[in-house]
Amino acid sequence: MCGIVGYAGPRPSSPSSRPVDVVLAGLARLEYRGYDSAGVAVLDGDAVRIDKRAGKLANLREEVAGHEESSSQVAIGHTRWATHGAPTDANAHPHRGGKHGELALVHNGIIENFAPLKAELVAEGYEFDSETDSEVAAHLVAREMTRLADEAGAEEGAAGADLTEAMRRVVSRLEGAFTLLAVDAAAPDRVVAARRNSPLVVGLGEGENFLGSDVAAFIDATKEALEVGQDQIVTVTPDDVAIIGFDGAPVTDAKRYTIEWDTTAAQKGGYPSFMAKEIHEQASAVADTLRGRMENGRLHLDEMKIDPALLRSIDKIVVVACGTAANAGSVVKYAIEHWCRIPVEVELAHEFRYRDPVVTEKTLVIAISQSGETMDTLMAVRHAKEQGAKVVAICNTRGSTIPRESDAALYLNVGPEIAVASTKAYLGQIGACYLLGLYLAQERGNFFPEEIAEIMHDLEGLPDKVQAVLDNAAQVEQLAHDMADATSVLFLGRHVGYPTAMEGALKLKEIAYIHAEGFAAGELKHGPIALVDEGQPVFIIVPSPRGRDSLHSKVVSNIQEIRARGARTMVIAEEGDTDVEPYADVVIRVPATRTLFAPLLTIIPLQIFACELATAKGLDVDQPRNLAKSVTVE
Ligand code: F6R
């Protein structure tokens, strides 16, 4: 959801490197997290200056560019995905706190008990400028600052009031999820932050320190980062970072790590959009996910810290995930059940938690999440752990909450994914789950080592095949431009082609705003075929003719059935599959591979189609309306 940046440092007040500029640069890299409004706050003498604007960050930049210098050492900023209150200037963050507006605060998350807290503050004479839950936190922290100053015998808002302690007193009253960052005129050298169920990392610089929702906030300035744990408060000054728990106890074991991502990963590199770039990075992304796993004929997953004896004892696997990550889970269900002979359930994380699922100590839960911060998935992980299950996270973002709270984590290593629509992480998630499935098969003795080696050999050949599909992008790009006026597109698949159809439809919905549905091809005549009319575009993902014959021939029959009813058929088929040609208006070829690996190839034309069609419609491909990259609220 929202993106948050904080800065404390000595940056000289040259026009391009004021603390506010550092924060604006960080917000630009976090804008994918939310982009309906943005704002910054700096200290200006003994006052707090706040600028905030509805709309994209560019609006705010214009506003701030013309400002005079201030002597501020600190700044905070926010890019918003609205929850409480429309995306207006007033509802944008930062919010002022205090009867004289001496404090500024930004918030990511939802404060569930904001209504009674607001009533309490209103009764005390606090005035509210916005409809947000967040403004409550701003006033509460400011009120504690005043109380602390009173207790210290100082004047209201005067030095001596401790912003860290004020924050600590407030967090115990908040329910829900939050990352809060505050600056106050009475504490001009520091930014104080608190987190519960919402992301926050510290960037460690030379004489300057940073706070961010993720490392992209400060990646151009430092690669050294510090994890902030659940229910912790961090105080950053230019020279110091201090962390305490919500109970006030100092935290001395915060994990420091070096960020491996390259700064060029956060740039478009000549592509028109991050999504286009990330689609075209997929061959190397898959190679990076698979790299270095085989040693002396055995598959090694060093991150798997779960006792192999326990892996042998599990009798069920449950995959929990949302959106694209759930589609990845649906793909790998076929592989893991086939290889390991263990039942695999795939469940949307937000449904799993509320249905009293049967999870025991013999259940292995696989939590798939690119961001590692999706609240629905995190809550499912916690629920599964409470039932005694072991949890393996399949994740892209190191240091994020889901892998930290899981028993083991397998990272995708595909580099940062900036576009809101997930592409390369989807392939990485499938690749990483294949590794996990094969590892389970190895440890449980389902396969001989040479069988694993043979499957791994084929898997390692996938990046070249991914590249071959990408090299053929022009055909699909043209198709997308020809179909820019489409109002509805259907996607059909069977077996592993079914989740591919779901994912193809999701991509088109989310970035091109076109009604799209993915169906299991076999389900067609149970209802959806009624949608097929003259000219209705339908993509069909055809399984390999070398696989189970009935599967291939049944899908070919499905193509005939819809064609007979006037559908325009766009068929994704293996090279050499001539059976589809008589019934296809368009044939898009992918290289032959194992049936179970085909989803890594067949999704690519559908990603390209959605990306190009959205581009042809003049839409913002990377930042589609109403969405955000990291969904940190339930
Ligand atoms: C769609 C998309 C979303 C995410 C979903 C889960 O393109 O990106 O559907 O897949 O919100 O996000 P993560 O993987 O971060 O848990």
Side-chain angles (χ1 to χ4, degrees), residues 313-603:
S313 75
I314 59 170
D315 59 11
K316 181 167 85 165
I317 293 176
V318 180
V319 179
V320 290
C322 303
T324 289
N327 290 336
S330 299
V331 166
V332 292
K333 168 186 165 75
Y334 293 85
I336 299 180
E337 285 189 338
H338 182 68
W339 291 332
C340 306
R341 311 309 302 150
I342 313 175
V344 180
E345 291 170 14
V346 183
E347 182 126 18
L348 293 170
H350 35 90
E351 289 295 317
F352 169 81
R353 187 181 164 215
Y354 294 103
R355 106 185 136 77
D356 194 14
V358 181
V359 174
T360 71
E361 282 157 16
K362 289 190 167 185
T363 309
L364 181 70
V365 169
I366 303 177
I368 309 177
S369 175
Q370 187 286 131
S371 62
E373 299 292 353
T374 300
M375 183 59 75
D376 292 313
T377 310
L378 175 61
M379 290 302 168
V381 166
R382 288 188 183 158
H383 185 74
K385 289 193 76 175
E386 277 162 22
Q387 315 298 308
K390 289 279 179 233
V391 180
V392 182
I394 304 287
C395 189
N396 195 33
T397 312
R398 279 174 200 269
S400 57
T401 310
I402 291 172
R404 275 164 52 190
E405 294 201 12
S406 299
D407 297 287
L410 203 57
Y411 287 100
L412 312 182
N413 298 326
V414 299
E417 191 178 63
I418 308 282
V420 164
S422 187
T423 54
K424 65 176 179 176
Y426 178 69
L427 267 66
Q429 287 161 346
I430 295 174
C433 287
Y434 284 158
L435 291 175
L436 179 59
L438 287 171
Y439 181 78
L440 286 173
Q442 171 181 281
E443 298 306 311
R444 293 166 64 90
N446 298 91
F447 285 133
F448 293 116
E450 52 274 24
E451 290 174 301
I452 304 261
E454 198 186 314
I455 300 173
M456 274 304 289
H457 175 267
D458 290 355
L459 193 51
E460 283 164 352
L462 257 298
D464 286 345
K465 296 183 179 185
V466 168
Q467 191 55 53
V469 182
L470 291 169
D471 291 344
N472 250 340
Q475 178 199 13
V476 180
E477 285 167 2
Q478 187 56 51
L479 184 65
H481 282 268
D482 295 346
M483 287 178 61
D485 294 336
T487 52
S488 160
V489 181
L490 304 182
F491 296 77
L492 300 181
R494 244 183 149 105
H495 191 256
V496 288
Y498 171 34
T500 306
M502 300 291 289
E503 176 61 9
L506 177 59
K507 289 283 94 76
L508 197 60
K509 282 180 233 198
E510 67 180 327
I511 61 163
Y513 317 150
I514 291 179
H515 171 254
E517 296 282 344
F519 296 111
E523 191 64 8
L524 207 59
K525 37 192 166 302
H526 301 285
I529 200 162
L531 289 170
V532 176
D533 198 357
E534 196 60 39
Q536 168 70 50
V538 186
F539 277 95
I540 307 101
I541 300 111
V542 180
S544 167
R546 295 166 306 106
R548 255 179 253 162
D549 187 42
S550 56
L551 199 62
H552 177 262
S553 56
K554 290 218 162 61
V555 176
V556 175
S557 302
N558 294 144
I559 305 173
Q560 293 175 58
E561 287 157 13
I562 54 169
R563 191 108 183 296
R565 287 159 179 85
R568 177 162 192 235
T569 55
M570 291 153 302
V571 173
I572 302 177
E574 190 177 290
E575 275 158 10
D577 179 357
T578 49
D579 296 350
V580 296
E581 285 169 2
Y583 319 110
D585 291 302
V586 178
V587 184
I588 300 158
R589 296 290 179 188
V590 294
T593 185
R594 282 176 188 260
T595 296
L596 287 172
F597 294 165
L600 288 174
L601 306 179
T602 49
I603 190 59

Side-chain angles (χ1 to χ4, degrees), residues 139-176:
H139 283 312
L140 287 173
V141 179
R143 184 175 71 175
E144 288 309 320
M145 285 294 277
T146 307
R147 287 179 178 168
L148 281 161
D150 289 348
E151 284 166 27
E155 284 173 24
E156 187 179 304
D162 180 346
L163 186 56
T164 309
E165 175 58 13
M167 182 70 89
R168 198 188 71 76
R169 290 185 180 187
V170 168
V171 288
S172 62
R173 298 206 59 202
L174 304 181
E175 289 165 18

